Amino acid sequence: MTSSGEQSTATVAIFPMAPLIRFTLISLYLALVLPLPVLAPPELQGWLWAALPLGLVLILALVSEQVELSDIGIRVGHPAWCRWWLRRGWHLQWEAITGLTPVNTSQGGKVFYVRTQEGSAYLLPQRVQAFDGFLSRFSQYTGLNTSSIGRISPPWTYQLLASICGVMLGSEITWLLIR
């Protein structure tokens, strides 16, 4: 990819958000928001029922972030259906990347920033599907050692949260049906 946003005919490998993380975040939204229209005063229920699918579309857009790697560079962003709306993301050509900077998080994890020749820093995606393949390609294209990079949080944290969300959703649906 060039700095003007043009794409070449190079092969592009797309790495979407990991399904476990995507499912967990969507389930969390539903578990937290689904009971609200039922519990709200009657004058707000219609508004909340209308807002529920709009919020779901927003969540689906946010969890659709993907990473594209090509022979030319890396692009982090959203697919076309929501890119116009979210406008987040970044792209760099491989030759602009000079290093990786690790930063400890307050939860005890470690994130990495991609450093550029101009001194800019971009957060390296660590929640992508096929993470090891992503790191391997990133290392191959940049020549940087990625052996110390791991996922931002272990899978069991998302598995636990997904289970809790499943129990919450099951309980809420059961409550709604017997109510």
Side-chain angles (χ1 to χ4, degrees):
M1 282 168 230
T2 65
S3 59
S4 64
E6 298 171 1
Q7 290 188 355
S8 81
T9 57
T11 339
V12 176
I14 298 175
F15 296 89
M17 184 178 285
L20 175 63
I21 297 169
R22 179 183 292 189
F23 171 78
T24 301
L25 295 174
I26 293 168
S27 298
L28 181 61
Y29 169 78
L30 291 173
L32 294 175
V33 175
L34 194 58
L36 294 180
V38 177
L39 298 172
E43 61 274 8
L44 292 178
Q45 287 181 350
W47 288 103
L48 290 173
W49 281 117
L52 190 106
L54 294 175
L56 183 59
V57 169
L58 175 62
I59 295 299
L60 291 173
L62 291 171
V63 299
S64 70
E65 185 175 74
Q66 60 190 22
V67 180
E68 298 173 10
L69 302 181
S70 72
D71 295 337
I72 299 183
I74 179 173
R75 181 180 127 15
V76 177
H78 293 84
W81 74 267
C82 61
R83 184 178 307 145
W84 65 272
W85 180 32
L86 297 174
R87 298 187 193 262
R88 294 180 4 179
W90 53 272
H91 67 277
L92 294 170
Q93 294 182 352
W94 295 122
E95 57 271 5
I97 298 173
T98 59
L100 292 167
T101 302
V103 176
N104 292 323
T105 67
S106 59
Q107 294 83 23
K110 190 179 285 190
V111 296
F112 290 81
Y113 284 88
V114 178
R115 305 298 282 180
T116 67
Q117 295 167 343
E118 295 83 32
S120 299
Y122 300 89
L123 187 62
L124 181 75
Q126 291 177 264
R127 292 185 170 114
V128 298
Q129 184 176 347
F131 186 60
D132 292 335
F134 162 73
L135 285 179
S136 174
R137 285 180 186 244
F138 183 86
S139 179
Q140 175 187 359
Y141 284 125
T142 62
L144 298 173
N145 181 2
T146 59
S147 63
S148 66
I149 299 175
R151 291 196 174 272
I152 195 165
S153 55
W156 69 264
T157 59
Y158 285 101
Q159 292 165 348
L160 177 62
L161 186 55
S163 299
I164 292 169
C165 290
V167 169
M168 287 175 62
L169 278 170
S171 301
E172 291 165 358
I173 292 169
T174 301
W175 177 75
L176 288 172
L177 293 175
I178 62 173
R179 187 172 185 261

